[in-house]
Amino acid sequence: MTADTDLRLAQYWGMGPGFFLRLQINYDLRIQRAAMGDALDRIPPRAA
């Protein structure tokens, strides 16, 4: 998904700009989180 495609689809479907990019980002994050397994959980958060 590119910004150009997002804007074109948003215009066609009457959606706001960024709608389709956000869908793609959320999908990519879900897939990557599943692929990483527990590796991400082993990273300790930075102390405040």
Side-chain angles (χ1 to χ4, degrees), residues 20-43:
F20 293 97
L21 279 173
R22 285 189 298 277
L23 286 177
Q24 184 66 50
I25 289 167
N26 287 334
Y27 172 79
D28 291 343
L29 288 171
R30 255 186 288 123
I31 296 300
Q32 186 59 39
R33 177 71 169 119
M36 292 176 76
D38 64 347
L40 194 58
D41 294 330
R42 291 193 303 265
I43 301 172

